[in-house]
Amino acid sequence: MICTAESLHWWKYQTEPSNVVGRKVPTQRSINRCESTAAMPPPSDIVKVAIEWPGANAQLIEIDQKKPLSSIIREVCDGWSLSGSEQFALRYADGPQLYITEQSRSDIKNGTILRLAISPARAARQLLDRIQSHGIDARLEALKELAKLSADATFAAEFINMEGIVTLARLVESGTHFGEMLAFTLTAFLELMDHGIVSWDLISLSFIKQIAGYVNQPMVDVSILQRSLAILESMVLNSHSLYHRVAQEITVGQLIGHLQVSNQEIQTYAIALINALFLKAPEDRRQEEPTNPLDQRLTEMASTLAQKHLRSIILNHVIRGNRPIKAEMAHQLYVLQVLTFNLLEERMMTKMDPSDQVQRDIIFELRRIAFDGETDASGTEKRKAVYTKDYKMLGFTNHVNPALDFTQTPPGMLALDNMLYLAKLHQDTYIRIVLENSSREDKHECPFGRCAIELTRMLCEVLQVGELPNEGCNDYHPMFFTHDRAWEEFFCVCIQLLNKTWKEMRATAEDFNKVMQVVREQITRALAMKPSSLDQLKGKFRALSYSEILRLRQSERMSQDDFQSPPIIELRERIQPEILELIKQQRLNRLCEGSCFRKLGNRRRQEKFWFCRLSLNHKVLHYGDLDETPQGEVPFELLTDKIPVSDIKSVVTGKDCPHMKEKSALKQNKEVLELAFSILYDPDENLNFVAPNKYEYCIWTDGLCALLGREMASDLTRSDLDTLISMEMKLRLLDLENITIPEAPPPVPKEPSTYNFTYNYG
């Protein structure tokens, strides 16, 4: 059926669900013209679509999903008298404009506008010929179109089969492309490689050198630099052999310059490449003595991660820069923080050798600093009993041979390193802690050695030393970028907190575990406040005294455990339904506002987003792709796809989600798994989500359950329910005895005759 633009415009509304708010009412003339489209809803395997062709009126047809796609394309071509239907294909007219295949045709929805286009193979051949033409303008336009089409997996497969990747690589290696033309070439190359059709191991050394050259150039176009950094990162992450080649061409020192620019995107790509280089460095070569030039580079890389130059540049130009930290930059800073702390893993997992004199000398040094003050030449000849007494006062568990205290991993030798750092760099603090506890005789002494070892183990657990970064996690702490020895300084602040808390609790040796539990709570609560410096951390610790922890615990316990008398329980049961209805309305209102979700891909920074929101009458879910994170509300007109709520069968979460079953790598990621949920709707389709955070996950799963008339069972709902019920009950249980509450509000008093009684503080 051929329709004019006017009837096509009406038809778009005709195919929408009838309950959409603000639906356009068609005129009688347009109804008569397209009377056939106003029929009863088609079967589930029939989809009504519009198909466009340049210079012709659109066709409104019903696609039978049981029919071969080639037959449908043939019928469409016959409608416009086009021969050679095998040379054509269907694409979406809106959004990414992807090609439709037999595998993806099930995604077509009623009301979708499609476009008849040349087939992927034909398009790939034409673009490949134009790219190799002599005309600069024609080549530029071809590369521009290629950069856009390369995101389509169907087109990418055809282009790669025609040696398209090789052609692009040669164009880059030739060094004759610059500016916009080179940027489009690199974009297309990256998009094509991202499909995983071709192995990164096939990339030549000359190509790597050329890309590395763009990164090392002092003045290079921003778009070229951005894509070059992304290509190098993909090489490192996807190929072990290419990692070694890239590591020979790019050093961390060369990347530091890109952190000093004002463009946060470039900074993000630079930190991501630094992270990738270190993440993929061989485990046994990160900190060993180098035996060849490549090992030397790896050792330099490990030291560079901890050096002042890199840290101060990140602190001053990124964390304290003029622009707010975006989500991807926060993730890369988190990854860098994790990798930096993972340098401690070797010492954490190294047991002390009691027979190693060098290691034993460190313990001797701890004793000397605490008790001798000056080096005693005869120290090694002292009687064993004197040493045993000193080690007992130092708080070691094994008084005779304290080396045995460091044979458990974790924390291993890392605990001894921390103690030695405190003794040498904060000597007054160290001596004060040891002496004030060793001189006590009331059984309330704090055993420094045992506490330091257990505290080190606790800090390793809290900061997840030795664990790989979690995808999607943005939990970095700015204060760890403010000091060259952030870990050791953090330990020194925490050991003082432990000593202070021990005294506040008037603890004895039997209370050791209780003290450590309180200290852990103090540390985790302080870290959650994200102090920007170690001085701020000290302030948080001062505020989180033992009495404050008890108060917080009591407050939380009171908010969680209401009175259990029968009248109070009955009142709670009466209040709960209206509170649940209030929470339900809040969840639905949030769904109407909508949320932005990230599409998970192989490259983290070249993110693609999509937005989903509920219609105002709660009958339809609208969703569609976005080029970037939206600022403010996204209008319904930009969200081209929709799902009627009446079609939704169920909502599944976690490992039951279809996209978690399909992508094993994502399934193994606990962070992603906890934020995943899917909508299953008729006939047998699904819409997959990965929430940006736990809060959005709870909001959406609650809201969708509310739409389906099911129980809202998220942690957020339980928390909100407890909070609101507690507040409401406290208001209703206020002591109002002997207080008369008037039915009408009291009158407003008259104004005074003068205002001479006022006082001017100015």
Side-chain angles (χ1 to χ4, degrees):
M1 173 182 176
I2 304 296
C3 273
T4 63
E6 180 184 353
S7 59
L8 174 60
H9 182 69
W10 171 83
W11 174 85
K12 288 173 66 178
Y13 287 93
Q14 179 68 21
T15 53
E16 291 180 357
S18 59
N19 46 26
V20 176
V21 172
R23 174 183 171 187
K24 185 174 179 179
V25 179
T27 63
Q28 186 61 44
R29 176 186 173 190
S30 58
I31 292 176
N32 294 337
R33 184 180 304 165
C34 292
E35 186 176 359
S36 61
T37 63
M40 296 295 292
S44 59
D45 54 355
I46 300 296
V47 184
K48 288 185 176 184
V49 300
I51 302 180
E52 299 176 334
W53 176 254
N57 292 328
Q59 296 187 42
L60 305 183
I61 68 170
E62 293 182 352
I63 292 181
D64 185 351
Q65 294 286 34
K66 295 180 180 179
K67 254 176 116 174
L69 192 58
S70 57
S71 300
I72 297 171
I73 295 174
R74 187 182 308 112
E75 293 175 5
V76 173
C77 290
D78 292 343
W80 283 310
S81 302
L82 298 174
S83 59
S85 61
E86 66 278 358
Q87 297 294 319
F88 293 93
L90 293 177
R91 292 172 60 186
Y92 289 100
D94 302 319
Q97 301 182 6
L98 301 176
Y99 278 101
I100 295 171
T101 63
E102 289 289 356
Q103 291 73 30
S104 64
R105 63 185 296 179
S106 59
D107 296 332
I108 303 175
K109 308 294 188 301
N110 276 322
T112 303
I113 299 180
L114 307 179
R115 179 175 298 159
L116 186 66
I118 60 175
S119 66
R122 187 177 172 190
R125 173 52 61 193
Q126 289 181 0
L127 284 176
L128 196 57
D129 293 341
R130 288 164 58 193
I131 288 170
Q132 300 177 81
S133 65
H134 297 291
I136 296 179
D137 293 339
R139 189 184 304 174
L140 177 61
E141 287 301 316
L143 288 169
K144 184 176 181 179
E145 187 176 348
L146 176 64
K148 183 178 179 181
L149 276 175
S150 295
D152 188 295
T154 307
F155 170 84
E158 296 290 348
F159 189 80
I160 291 172
N161 287 338
M162 297 176 185
E163 302 294 329
I165 287 283
V166 176
T167 302
L168 294 179
R170 287 173 182 167
L171 291 177
V172 175
E173 292 170 8
S174 67
T176 57
H177 285 56
F178 304 97
E180 221 179 3
M181 188 175 294
L182 178 58
F184 286 133
T185 303
L186 297 178
T187 301
F189 178 86
L190 195 55
E191 289 285 356
L192 292 167
M193 293 299 296
D194 195 38
H195 292 290
I197 300 173
V198 178
S199 171
W200 282 91
D201 291 321
L202 300 177
I203 302 303
S204 67
L205 180 59
S206 59
F207 181 86
I208 297 173
K209 288 181 176 292
Q210 191 68 37
I211 297 297
Y214 298 138
V215 173
N216 293 330
Q217 284 181 15
M219 297 294 293
V220 66
D221 185 80
V222 171
S223 58
I224 295 174
L225 177 59
Q226 182 176 329
R227 288 156 179 79
S228 298
L229 288 168
I231 289 173
L232 290 175
E233 186 205 2
S234 293
M235 289 179 182
V236 171
L237 293 177
N238 290 286
S239 171
H240 180 71
S241 61
L242 290 188
Y243 158 77
H244 292 282
R245 295 180 180 179
V246 173
Q248 291 174 342
E249 299 294 330
I250 297 290
T251 65
V252 176
Q254 291 168 324
L255 294 173
I256 287 178
H258 298 306
L259 300 177
Q260 298 172 281
V261 300
S262 59
N263 188 321
Q264 192 174 121
E265 296 298 323
I266 296 298
Q267 292 175 327
T268 304
Y269 277 89
I271 294 179
L273 181 53
I274 292 173
N275 290 338
L277 285 168
F278 191 71
L279 186 63
K280 292 298 180 179
E283 291 287 342
D284 57 342
R285 296 181 179 179
R286 291 184 183 179
Q287 295 181 328
E288 291 181 356
E289 288 297 323
T291 56
N292 60 56
L294 181 58
D295 290 349
Q296 176 69 41
R297 283 183 177 274
L298 299 176
T299 305
E300 292 173 358
M301 190 182 306
S303 62
T304 302
L305 279 180
Q307 71 176 340
K308 180 177 180 179
H309 190 45
L310 175 62
R311 177 195 59 77
S312 62
I313 287 176
I314 292 177
L315 178 65
N316 296 322
H317 292 272
V318 179
I319 297 176
R320 294 178 179 173
N322 297 325
R323 300 179 61 186
I325 300 295
K326 294 182 180 179
E328 183 54 36
M329 174 60 85
H331 173 70
Q332 294 302 334
L333 290 173
Y334 155 77
V335 173
L336 183 60
Q337 172 185 293
V338 171
L339 295 178
T340 303
F341 284 149
N342 282 356
L343 293 174
L344 305 168
E345 182 181 11
E346 183 183 356
R347 294 293 286 173
M348 180 183 74
M349 301 307 295
T350 299
K351 296 180 180 181
M352 185 172 187
D353 182 1
S355 62
D356 189 324
Q357 188 59 42
V358 175
Q359 296 179 2
R360 292 171 62 87
D361 286 344
I362 299 177
I363 299 178
F364 292 150
E365 182 69 4
L366 291 175
R367 192 206 64 81
R368 183 195 67 78
I369 295 174
F371 301 117
D372 288 356
E374 297 179 357
T375 303
D376 187 352
S378 62
T380 57
E381 300 176 0
K382 285 186 176 182
R383 291 179 296 108
K384 186 176 181 181
V386 176
Y387 279 105
T388 300
K389 179 182 177 182
D390 289 347
Y391 291 144
K392 182 178 181 180
M393 289 192 294
L394 276 172
F396 289 113
T397 303
N398 295 279
H399 308 150
V400 178
N401 186 6
L404 297 175
D405 286 13
F406 301 95
T407 56
Q408 185 177 356
T409 59
M413 289 295 291
L414 184 59
L416 187 59
D417 294 342
N418 288 341
M419 295 166 69
L420 184 62
Y421 181 89
L422 175 68
K424 287 192 171 184
L425 276 296
H426 299 273
Q427 192 170 113
D428 292 342
T429 300
Y430 168 70
I431 294 174
R432 175 178 57 80
I433 292 175
V434 172
L435 294 185
E436 75 178 16
N437 286 288
S438 62
S439 60
R440 299 186 65 150
E441 296 182 358
D442 55 1
K443 297 184 179 180
H444 291 289
E445 68 276 2
C446 176
F448 169 75
R450 183 184 177 190
C451 288
I453 293 171
E454 185 60 30
L455 177 63
T456 301
R457 180 182 5 257
M458 179 199 300
L459 296 183
C460 290
E461 292 175 359
V462 171
L463 296 177
Q464 300 178 330
V465 175
E467 296 185 17
L468 289 177
N470 288 326
E471 181 69 41
C473 182
N474 303 333
D475 189 24
Y476 80 98
H477 296 278
M479 70 175 181
F480 290 130
F481 293 88
T482 62
H483 201 283
D484 299 336
R485 304 291 294 274
W487 166 266
E488 291 85 351
E489 290 294 323
F490 183 51
F491 168 83
C492 293
V493 174
C494 291
I495 194 68
Q496 295 178 70
L497 169 71
L498 195 159
N499 186 62
K500 172 175 169 286
T501 302
W502 186 284
K503 290 188 291 185
E504 291 175 347
M505 295 178 66
R506 291 191 56 79
T508 62
E510 289 76 16
D511 301 317
F512 183 83
N513 291 332
K514 293 181 181 178
V515 175
M516 297 309 299
Q517 289 174 3
V518 173
V519 171
R520 187 186 188 104
E521 186 173 346
Q522 290 171 314
I523 292 173
T524 53
R525 286 181 183 271
L527 288 177
M529 301 178 196
K530 294 296 178 71
S532 60
S533 66
L534 290 167
D535 288 336
Q536 279 195 16
L537 177 69
K538 294 176 184 178
K540 304 295 183 187
F541 283 161
R542 282 193 293 270
L544 289 169
S545 62
Y546 175 56
S547 59
E548 178 64 12
I549 292 295
L550 290 179
R551 190 193 67 79
L552 290 171
R553 287 179 175 179
Q554 180 69 15
S555 175
E556 292 169 358
R557 191 178 301 116
M558 289 295 293
S559 64
Q560 294 171 1
D561 303 326
D562 292 320
F563 303 109
Q564 297 301 314
S565 62
I568 300 298
I569 294 175
E570 182 180 352
L571 177 60
R572 182 185 180 93
E573 291 174 351
R574 288 186 179 184
I575 294 174
Q576 184 164 321
E578 58 186 85
I579 298 297
L580 280 172
E581 182 62 26
L582 183 65
I583 294 173
K584 173 183 174 181
Q585 292 303 319
Q586 187 270 343
R587 301 294 194 262
L588 294 177
N589 289 340
R590 279 287 288 108
L591 263 61
C592 290
E593 294 174 9
S595 298
C596 182
F597 299 93
R598 181 165 62 95
K599 288 188 173 182
L600 292 177
N602 294 331
R603 297 193 311 280
R604 288 188 291 263
R605 281 151 327 292
Q606 292 203 347
E607 292 183 304
K608 296 180 180 178
F609 302 91
W610 66 286
F611 197 90
C612 186
R613 62 182 296 197
L614 180 66
S615 64
L616 301 180
N617 63 356
H618 303 170
K619 297 294 183 66
V620 180
L621 278 174
H622 297 259
Y623 65 97
D625 293 336
L626 299 175
D627 294 330
E628 57 184 12
T629 307
Q631 302 297 326
E633 185 178 281
V634 177
F636 289 108
E637 293 75 18
L638 296 181
L639 306 177
T640 56
D641 299 310
K642 62 193 68 177
I643 300 174
V645 173
S646 58
D647 288 350
I648 298 178
K649 294 179 179 178
S650 64
V651 177
V652 296
T653 61
K655 62 182 181 181
D656 295 325
C657 296
H659 54 320
M660 293 296 104
K661 295 177 181 178
E662 295 169 1
K663 299 184 179 181
S664 58
L666 293 179
K667 187 175 180 180
Q668 295 171 1
N669 192 318
K670 182 180 178 182
E671 191 82 20
V672 174
L673 194 63
E674 292 178 348
L675 300 177
F677 61 98
S678 298
I679 294 174
L680 307 182
Y681 61 98
D682 289 334
D684 288 310
E685 302 182 12
N686 55 76
L687 182 64
N688 302 317
F689 299 74
V690 175
N693 50 56
K694 189 67 175 179
Y695 176 79
E696 289 291 333
Y697 170 85
C698 294
I699 288 290
W700 274 85
T701 52
D702 284 344
L704 292 171
C705 287
L707 283 175
L708 300 179
R710 298 173 185 172
E711 180 185 0
M712 299 180 293
S714 73
D715 295 338
L716 183 62
T717 291
R718 287 192 291 271
S719 174
D720 288 349
L721 183 63
D722 290 342
T723 301
L724 293 173
I725 286 182
S726 176
M727 291 173 59
E728 183 67 18
M729 291 182 65
K730 288 175 182 176
L731 287 173
R732 296 195 184 191
L733 294 173
L734 283 176
D735 186 7
L736 301 179
E737 186 177 357
N738 298 325
I739 299 177
T740 302
I741 301 177
E743 295 182 1
V748 178
K750 295 181 181 180
E751 291 188 15
S753 57
T754 66
Y755 289 89
N756 294 334
F757 56 84
T758 61
Y759 180 78
N760 186 356
Y761 287 92

